[in-house]
Amino acid sequence: MAQRYLLNFDTRELPVYEADALVIGSGVAGLQAAWYLARGGKKVLLACRDSLSDSNTNKAQGGIAASFGKDDNPKLHLEDTLVAGAGLSDRDISAIVTKEGPADVQTLADNGAEFDLDADGHFALGREGAHCRSRIVHAHGDATGAEVARSLNALVAREPNVKPMTQCYVTDLLVDHGRCYGAIALYRGAKVMLRAENVVLATGGTGRLYSKTTNPEGATGSGMAMAFRAGAELMDMEFVQFHPTALSLPGCPNFLISEAVRGAGAVLRNLKGERFMPGYHPQKELAPRDVVARCIYKEMQEADSAFVYLDATGIDHVADLFPMIADTCRDYGVNIEKEPIPIAPAAHYMMGGVHTDAHARTNIAGLYACGETAATGLQGANRLASNSLLEGLVFGRRAAQDILSQKRHPSMPEGLYWKEGSLNENTPDDAAARIAAAQDIMTKHLGIRRSAQGIEEGLDLLAGIANSREGFAANTPVELDLRARLLVDRLIAEAALRRKESRGAHYRTDYPEKSDAWAHHTLDTWEELEKAEEEKQDGHVIWSGREINVMA
């Protein structure tokens, strides 16, 4: 059984850092929340496991979707979002994001973000898959995320109310009688208590659960794991998006080749040099991401190849349009102006996560979640391209505004403390090898194409790794990382086995069609997992998950 707390600790004996709000994570959502909270007069602890610049936001290339074009409006953006979400995007939530998002982008530009402009001084708008209009705001061609992170970091740095805490690995949330009072962390190697009236989880996604991913090291689902152990609801964990085009060469990282390259005219070709997407979908290379990823995977399987080609040689001045992509490919021997780029799909984005409402509130009082950590209902079963940075801006702000609007609730009651001390401190020292094994299991059994047999095999293999850690405390960041990974791995696998249909990014070879019976979200909780464990006979047990309707 998964442990509720990962560390042995007694909060009466720990150093305490205290503020009005604790923000965990330094991507777009966390920085946006911290900035708005500090501007509103709140003292903020901003905790991140490495540096403030280490986030998925910093790696994002394509841009921010927002309806600034003369021929565009929030309603059109809303409809594109709902179509891409394959029937699971919440209409009310999606309407909020598409309506409020442009103002958040404009606020960022007004406060120092240097987005690319056209000759008239308006945002230069790109086009990406499944969008009916050009509405992608970008910066420096293909470095939008880095510019968003730079500008928000600069804004946060000017706020004296924000205390950045780098190298701070938050491990456990402290919840009593349904209210969150803070967290336990390893801060530069020492256990500490982070005490706050409100906690904002913005810890990013789950890409690093897979061996092939576009995500940075910190994207391990740690925030989802700690929230789940604390009693928060997780929603739609089966929906993992695989980006269709990541650089695929021996010895090179799975570097993202932005969808904007296809939006500018690049085409996909198989090993024979044949363009294949027109034979699969009317939108060709700009079909929804799940469709493009599966088509590429099929072509790779048929050719017994580790890649296909993305041909951008027909785009005028392509290296000027996408300088970071051009430079990276050149470093690995590919001149994108003269030759096609070897690419393959890679794990990219988690549509599921901690279930929240329209104000980023979870089912635990005082606990908020935003960004990729959260499941707001916007992304549905398949995220529309470039909606992620937009969602982070909107719900980072909304979380902060909700906290600022609340009457101050009583601080942690006098005498309340938490203690965990039942775990063996002699932790096994093979965590890194176990992480690599788990990544391979997820890639093989919970990837682009899934089946009951494969998922069950994956679950059994993951259980073998998890069982080897039972009874031990997690004493190092790598061991903490392994525990968080294994819990989220299991949640993804159980949810994927439970959903007997194919919808959006979740594709079952044994249930290849979408089913109206599954046109709903599901919620998982710690209590349901515990009950399933108690009823377990042989092997694993699939708990049902509670259904909630989607506002379509």
Side-chain angles (χ1 to χ4, degrees):
M1 177 61 205
Q3 294 141 355
R4 194 108 191 189
Y5 296 102
L6 297 185
L7 290 171
N8 288 338
F9 64 90
D10 186 331
T11 55
R12 295 169 299 183
E13 300 173 356
L14 297 180
V16 176
Y17 293 83
E18 190 165 9
D20 299 315
L22 165 64
V23 177
I24 308 171
S26 59
V28 57
L31 292 171
Q32 177 87 327
W35 183 46
Y36 270 86
L37 285 166
R39 292 170 70 198
K42 296 291 187 182
K43 292 183 178 180
V44 181
L45 299 176
L46 177 58
C48 59
R49 61 186 293 174
D50 293 305
S51 69
L52 290 177
S53 62
D54 187 49
S55 67
N56 264 346
T57 296
N58 198 47
K59 305 295 183 184
Q61 295 174 8
I64 309 175
S67 55
F68 285 105
K70 292 181 180 179
D71 63 343
D72 199 7
N73 59 61
K75 184 177 179 181
L76 290 174
H77 188 184
L78 167 63
E79 293 306 317
D80 286 348
T81 297
L82 296 177
V83 170
L88 285 191
S89 290
D90 185 292
R91 178 176 286 275
D92 292 344
I93 292 293
S94 300
I96 288 170
V97 174
T98 54
K99 181 179 180 181
E100 296 182 3
D104 284 310
V105 176
Q106 188 64 58
T107 296
L108 200 56
D110 293 343
N111 283 277
E114 299 176 357
F115 296 116
D116 295 340
L117 305 177
D118 62 22
D120 297 323
H122 303 130
F123 290 126
L125 301 175
R127 181 84 171 266
E128 293 188 1
H131 287 274
C132 71
R133 297 287 188 273
S134 295
R135 63 166 67 98
I136 312 303
V137 178
H138 48 82
H140 314 303
D142 56 358
T144 311
E147 177 58 22
V148 169
R150 182 205 65 78
S151 58
L152 281 172
N153 268 304
L155 292 172
V156 168
R158 297 175 198 158
E159 297 294 337
N161 278 346
V162 179
K163 175 180 174 55
M165 301 182 73
T166 58
Q167 299 176 48
C168 185
Y169 195 129
V170 181
T171 66
D172 297 291
L173 296 173
L174 299 176
V175 174
D176 182 72
H177 288 86
R179 174 167 288 283
C180 187
Y181 291 100
I184 299 295
L186 282 182
Y187 182 37
R188 303 189 175 179
K191 297 174 189 177
V192 299
M193 180 180 179
L194 308 175
R195 192 160 60 199
E197 290 186 11
N198 294 283
V199 175
V200 180
L201 274 179
T203 49
T206 61
R208 281 284 165 176
L209 301 182
Y210 291 81
S211 56
K212 298 182 184 300
T213 179
T214 62
N215 287 187
E217 290 294 335
T220 63
S222 61
M224 299 175 197
M226 77 172 83
F228 183 75
R229 294 194 311 270
E233 298 169 338
L234 297 195
M235 184 171 83
D236 292 349
M237 294 299 290
E238 63 269 40
F239 293 112
V240 179
Q241 186 176 75
F242 293 82
H243 198 286
T245 55
L247 184 61
S248 181
L249 286 171
C252 80
N254 291 295
F255 176 76
L256 177 69
I257 308 297
S258 170
E259 190 162 328
V261 180
R262 281 176 282 137
V267 298
L268 289 161
R269 300 187 186 278
N270 59 26
L271 296 193
K272 298 176 182 178
E274 300 166 338
R275 185 182 180 188
F276 57 84
M277 280 307 300
Y280 287 110
H281 197 278
Q283 289 181 283
K284 305 170 188 176
E285 280 79 10
L286 295 183
R289 284 183 174 177
D290 62 304
V291 174
V292 179
R294 285 197 296 275
C295 293
I296 291 172
Y297 186 80
K298 182 175 183 291
E299 292 286 331
M300 288 167 52
Q301 282 192 316
E302 291 179 353
D304 192 24
S305 171
F307 59 87
V308 296
Y309 291 112
L310 180 66
D311 186 356
T313 58
I315 302 173
D316 292 337
H317 309 294
V318 63
D320 295 330
L321 291 173
F322 305 103
M324 184 168 63
I325 291 173
D327 289 346
T328 301
C329 287
R330 190 178 299 113
D331 290 343
Y332 290 97
V334 177
N335 183 340
I336 68 172
E337 295 179 299
K338 298 181 178 180
E339 57 190 318
I341 308 165
I343 58 89
H348 183 60
Y349 190 88
M350 166 56 83
M351 274 76 70
V354 183
H355 179 223
T356 63
D357 67 7
H359 301 281
R361 295 179 294 221
T362 73
N363 61 303
I364 298 174
L367 178 64
Y368 295 75
C370 50
E372 193 173 351
T373 307
T376 63
L378 171 71
Q379 313 296 3
N382 189 42
R383 177 177 67 93
L384 180 65
S386 289
N387 265 358
S388 51
L389 291 177
L390 187 72
E391 182 187 39
L393 286 174
V394 170
F395 281 102
R397 169 183 53 78
R398 279 189 152 244
Q401 289 174 333
D402 193 71
I403 291 169
L404 292 169
S405 72
Q406 302 290 326
K407 294 181 180 179
R408 292 183 68 110
H409 64 73
S411 57
M412 197 174 87
E414 189 72 26
L416 179 62
Y417 70 94
W418 288 261
K419 183 175 182 180
E420 176 64 36
S422 61
L423 301 176
N424 187 336
E425 290 285 359
N426 297 317
T427 303
D429 60 2
D430 61 348
R434 301 278 178 170
I435 286 172
Q439 288 174 316
D440 289 341
I441 292 165
M442 292 296 289
T443 298
K444 180 178 180 180
H445 297 291
L446 274 301
I448 293 173
R449 293 166 65 90
R450 303 164 174 179
S451 69
Q453 180 180 351
I455 297 169
E456 288 170 350
E457 288 176 4
L459 276 164
D460 289 341
L461 291 168
L462 291 168
I465 298 175
N467 291 341
S468 71
R469 328 313 280 181
E470 285 187 358
F472 292 99
N475 298 308
T476 64
V478 68
E479 186 68 34
L480 290 164
D481 202 20
L482 174 60
R483 306 301 178 86
R485 288 169 179 267
L486 289 173
L487 177 55
V488 181
D489 285 345
R490 177 179 176 181
L491 291 168
I492 291 171
E494 298 277 11
L497 190 56
R498 183 171 60 224
R499 183 173 285 272
K500 295 179 173 63
E501 67 158 352
S502 291
R503 182 184 296 270
H506 171 68
Y507 183 78
R508 289 276 299 263
T509 58
D510 48 352
Y511 292 94
E513 303 299 327
K514 185 164 66 174
S515 168
D516 290 342
W518 283 98
H520 59 78
H521 302 291
T522 56
L523 299 179
D524 292 321
T525 66
W526 179 270
E527 289 72 20
E528 289 166 339
L529 183 148
E530 284 187 318
K531 182 179 179 182
E533 289 285 350
E534 290 172 1
E535 296 174 353
K536 182 168 63 176
Q537 301 296 324
D538 297 314
H540 61 269
V541 168
I542 306 301
W543 66 95
S544 61
R546 286 187 290 117
E547 299 180 9
I548 60 172
N549 292 328
V550 55
M551 297 293 293

